[in-house]
Amino acid sequence: MSRNTKINLLLLLAVALLAVMPLVLGLGDDKEQPFTGSDGEAETAITEIEPDYEPWFSPLYEPPSGEIESALFSLQAALGAGVLAYYFGLRRGRKQGEQRARERDAAGVGGAGESDGEGV
Amino acid sequence: MHIAEGFLPPAHAVAWGVASAPFVVHGVRSLTREVREHPESTLLLGASGAFTFVLSALKLPSVTGSCSHPTGTGLGAILFRPPIMAVLGTITLLFQALLLAHGGLTTLGANVFSMAIVGPWAGYAVYRLLRRYDVPLMVAVFCGAFVADLSTYCVTSVQLALAFPDPSSGFLGALGKFGSIFAVTQIPLAVSEGLLTVLVMRLLVQSSKGELTRLGVLVAGGKRVQAESSEAVAR
């Protein structure tokens, strides 16, 4: 494994540890409902400060269940991950293609020069 | 950082919308100019938007015992400058407001202001400042992404405290309350976002050197940075 790959894997490991640590240490145990969304907590805080506040507009579309909501969240993540993977795959493939073309030029033409110049 | 639909009083909702609109319009202009002048950027632009899509869908547990998500706006701001992130961030927020009932149309202006405007600008400013003082690229990228993430949630706290000042302790009391919900929760997530942004930037350095050089992230042999700092010394 190259040094680059090792560093990249360590970065991923650090992110995973940061995400798992609060769960392992049970940092949500003192709450009635551990690990709820902070957006929802803010809504609760608003109703604490202003008990009379009524939201004056409701979402045009609301996922009918938690399952549908998580499906749509996964869709969002999958779309993003797909595009990122496409980008890096394409780059890698192009780089390899260019390198192969260069090698073929160097080997096949035997230093005729012409295609060497174009290859760069 | 998503203020839920209908949870900002109408006057605040309109005001944040008016404040955000020019940034988004300017962003659309920069984006079309970038695509017209450098069609080869389109792919990397797509990848930057995709990064925001992934990260803002990742709800992670935090030390406060609640969950929140990163924003992913630092990367695009560093690569393409903040105006373009105003557009990409708005697209992400619209997707979540319309399909996920996460955030909302009436609070879109406020959410755009925190995640797609202040976050990218704050992160970009920190990144540029550190680069000016010859801080290594990856350290600057980490700090930029960290600040972009955290500042977004600080802005959300301010927005909510302005709209809902505490009856006894006023604006500051409410700021403390919302700040402890959002900003404290966000600190470890901002670290995660910084690390993930560094990871993607490392992959970009390995795969897209030419592109990064054109965008000014990488400088051929660090010459420009050196020239800048020696100028500063001369002055």
Side-chain angles (χ1 to χ4, degrees), chain B residues 51-226:
Chain B
F51 188 67
T52 304
F53 248 63
V54 180
L55 261 65
S56 61
L58 278 186
K59 293 187 193 164
L60 300 168
S62 175
V63 285
T64 49
S66 55
C67 277
S68 187
H69 60 86
T71 63
T73 55
L75 178 74
I78 290 169
L79 289 175
F80 290 105
R81 301 190 10 93
I84 282 178
M85 275 329 283
V87 185
L88 299 181
T90 304
I91 294 172
T92 311
L93 286 166
L94 259 180
F95 178 94
Q96 294 181 321
L98 292 175
L99 287 182
L100 298 164
H102 208 66
L105 294 178
T106 59
T107 49
L108 186 66
N111 290 336
V112 165
F113 199 82
S114 61
M115 180 175 135
I117 296 169
V118 174
W121 274 108
Y124 182 71
V126 167
Y127 163 79
R128 284 304 298 263
L129 190 74
L130 292 178
R131 289 299 277 161
R132 175 149 298 190
Y133 291 101
D134 285 344
V135 172
L137 175 65
M138 289 308 166
V139 177
V141 167
F142 175 87
C143 296
F146 177 88
V147 169
D149 185 316
L150 194 58
S151 60
T152 298
Y153 282 79
C154 294
V155 172
T156 307
S157 308
V158 171
Q159 287 170 331
L160 285 176
L162 281 173
F164 301 101
D166 195 274
S168 54
S169 51
F171 168 76
L172 286 177
L175 185 63
K177 198 164 191 171
F178 291 116
S180 68
I181 293 175
F182 281 124
V184 180
T185 305
Q186 202 61 23
I187 292 171
L189 298 197
V191 173
S192 295
E193 167 153 7
L195 294 174
L196 286 173
T197 308
V198 166
L199 174 67
V200 171
M201 192 60 93
R202 288 175 50 84
L203 293 173
L204 285 173
V205 169
Q206 287 158 29
S207 71
S208 326
K209 253 191 187 119
E211 193 94 40
L212 291 187
T213 312
R214 184 182 69 70
L215 292 168
V217 175
L218 288 182
V219 190
K223 268 176 206 148
R224 202 181 67 190
V225 179
Q226 277 170 13

Side-chain angles (χ1 to χ4, degrees), chain A residues 87-98:
Chain A
Y87 178 84
F88 285 111
L90 188 74
R91 286 282 156 183
R92 207 186 153 97
R94 268 192 198 160
K95 223 174 165 183
Q96 281 177 348
E98 278 166 21

